[in-house]
Amino acid sequence: MSRLTSWWDALSGPVKFRLYTRVTIQVAVLSAVAGGLSVSARGPWLTVGLVVAGVAAIVALEVQPDFAGRSRARWRRRALPAAGAALAGVWLAFALVARLADSDLISTQASIVSVFAAALGMLSVVAFLRHKWWTVLGISVVTGVVFGSSPFAGLAVAAVTFVIGSFVVATTLVTVWGVRVVDELDRAKGVEAELQVAEERLRFARDLHDIVGRGFSAIAVKSELAVVLSRSGQAERAAVEMDEIKTLAVESMGQMRKLVRGYRGIDLMGEVGGARSLLSAVGCRLVVEGDAAKVPARFHEVAAWAVREGTTNIVEHSAATSAILTLGNAGMSLRNDCPHGTPGERSGLRGLGERLAAIGATLDVAASPEQFALEIHWEKK
């Protein structure tokens, strides 16, 4: 059971929905076959006709790209025409039986099986054709002509077949539309996450430009002034300007280091808010337990780095739907479900461990098929 649940948890949302949809339709087909057997089957040939039509419909649905997703092209090229031919064969065979039978009971049962095969064909094959509604109309007219004992009876049969066919085709189209909407939402989530990353990069580039541009501009201007003063014999003023140039260079380098290390200082509350936003964008709900105020002040920065690295780890190495961040005075933890395999040697976690070791904190990683957890303990004094 644990393997089954792990396999299910590892699937993405769209794949789960597609699998659920496919199984639901196939169960509906099997239920229809079982109902047809209980109502109309009074002989082995009727049973065979209903079973063949049901199996052909299931095969046709199994290889439809909208439901099957990654079905192999060679298998689809062979299976779909074979399933369509089987459904058409059942319809034609039982249409002939209905026309040639001497018994009214046999004729009626054969008619039911033939119409049943036509309905399954509309559900599993016709609904995915380009000119589906004209095909439904054509099948309905032909069915009315074949099974109608009189013009009025034929019109009635054609009308019933068209209504049934239109219903099953419309149902299939709505189902396919739902699958595609889920796929589009999943793609939109991915695009939103990428846009947030791009926005962060732009913010970093803008901050870097502001720091470097302002500092270098000031250095360039003061360097020109120092050159002019030196050439004009004002050595003292030139020395003052050069000292200021040195100060500006040191300040700019310090600001750049601070920017690279933490985007002008890294804030724990800001990282928690950013983590919630980023995880929400990829379909993961973050629950925060505890209070950032309980984290000792000297560990705020490293805790913020842990939140940032843990969030990146969830986005890149899991299909998590929920995560729990716990903050306290003795340590913190970040747990998420649906990890992708074992953690292995990840440079981000290694860097986080080195950063923690520098201040006397420890990092423990716990991984299982169901959960991935980062446990961090502060230095005990």
Side-chain angles (χ1 to χ4, degrees):
M1 180 61 72
S2 61
R3 286 187 178 181
L4 181 61
T5 55
S6 299
W7 168 79
W8 176 259
D9 291 337
L11 298 178
S12 64
V15 174
K16 289 179 180 178
F17 184 76
R18 181 177 282 105
L19 179 60
Y20 162 77
T21 303
R22 191 172 70 203
V23 171
T24 300
I25 295 180
Q26 291 175 354
V27 168
V29 171
L30 292 175
S31 301
V33 171
L37 290 172
S38 64
V39 172
S40 63
R42 296 294 184 271
W45 58 282
L46 290 170
T47 301
V48 170
L50 288 171
V51 171
V52 169
V55 171
I58 289 176
V59 170
L61 289 169
E62 181 67 22
V63 297
Q64 292 294 347
D66 287 302
F67 290 145
R70 297 181 179 178
S71 59
R72 290 182 295 179
R74 181 180 300 178
W75 163 246
R76 183 173 182 269
R77 284 197 302 267
R78 295 178 179 179
L80 189 57
L87 289 165
V90 171
W91 180 89
L92 181 60
F94 282 86
L96 292 174
V97 170
R99 296 291 293 179
L100 301 177
D102 296 331
S103 169
D104 291 339
L105 177 61
I106 294 178
S107 178
T108 300
Q109 291 176 340
S111 300
I112 293 175
V113 175
S114 186
V115 172
F116 182 79
L120 288 182
M122 294 178 189
L123 171 70
S124 59
V125 179
V126 174
F128 300 91
L129 299 178
R130 182 178 180 182
H131 302 292
K132 54 184 71 66
W133 297 113
W134 287 109
T135 306
V136 171
L137 180 61
I139 293 174
S140 302
V141 171
V142 174
T143 302
V145 171
V146 171
F147 295 107
S149 56
S150 64
F152 180 76
L155 182 62
V157 172
V160 171
T161 305
F162 182 77
V163 171
I164 295 174
S166 299
F167 174 76
V168 297
V169 168
T171 301
T172 304
L173 292 178
V174 170
T175 304
V176 171
W177 172 78
V179 171
R180 291 175 179 172
V181 166
V182 171
D183 287 339
E184 289 296 328
L185 289 175
D186 184 66
R187 279 193 290 269
K189 259 196 246 181
V191 171
E192 183 179 0
E194 292 176 0
L195 288 175
Q196 288 193 353
V197 172
E199 182 180 357
E200 182 64 15
R201 288 175 178 171
L202 288 173
R203 185 176 75 84
F204 179 82
R206 184 178 62 249
D207 290 349
L208 184 62
H209 175 270
D210 290 344
I211 290 176
V212 174
R214 183 180 59 224
F216 281 9
S217 296
I219 290 173
V221 171
K222 286 186 172 292
S223 297
E224 292 178 0
L225 179 58
V227 170
V228 172
L229 292 173
S230 178
R231 288 176 178 174
S232 64
Q234 302 182 50
E236 292 185 2
R237 289 188 58 190
V240 171
E241 294 297 333
M242 293 178 70
D243 286 337
E244 291 183 2
I245 290 172
K246 178 182 176 181
T247 302
L248 281 171
V250 172
E251 289 179 353
S252 295
M253 289 175 62
Q255 289 177 338
M256 187 181 302
R257 288 195 189 99
K258 187 182 294 186
L259 176 65
V260 173
R261 286 183 57 203
Y263 296 176
R264 283 186 178 172
I266 186 168
D267 176 66
L268 178 57
M269 292 303 299
E271 288 302 318
V272 172
R276 181 180 283 111
S277 176
L278 180 57
L279 293 179
S280 176
V282 296
C284 179
R285 178 173 176 267
L286 177 65
V287 177
V288 179
E289 297 178 349
D291 189 357
K294 295 181 179 179
V295 177
R298 63 186 298 258
F299 297 117
H300 266 221
E301 181 178 351
V302 75
W305 279 108
V307 172
R308 178 179 293 184
E309 177 57 34
T311 303
T312 303
N313 186 70
I314 293 174
V315 173
E316 294 183 352
H317 302 291
S318 78
T321 59
S322 64
I324 301 176
L325 173 63
T326 304
L327 300 169
N329 56 3
M332 62 173 289
S333 67
L334 180 59
R335 305 185 298 275
N336 65 274
D337 60 354
C338 304
H340 290 329
T342 56
E345 186 67 20
R346 297 176 185 171
S347 59
L349 294 181
R350 185 173 62 251
L352 178 61
E354 294 172 353
R355 191 185 297 273
L356 290 167
I359 62 169
T362 60
L363 170 66
D364 294 322
V365 177
S368 69
E370 293 80 19
Q371 180 176 268
F372 182 85
L374 297 178
E375 297 281 348
I376 298 171
H377 303 282
W378 317 129
E379 181 184 14
K380 295 182 180 180
K381 289 186 178 181

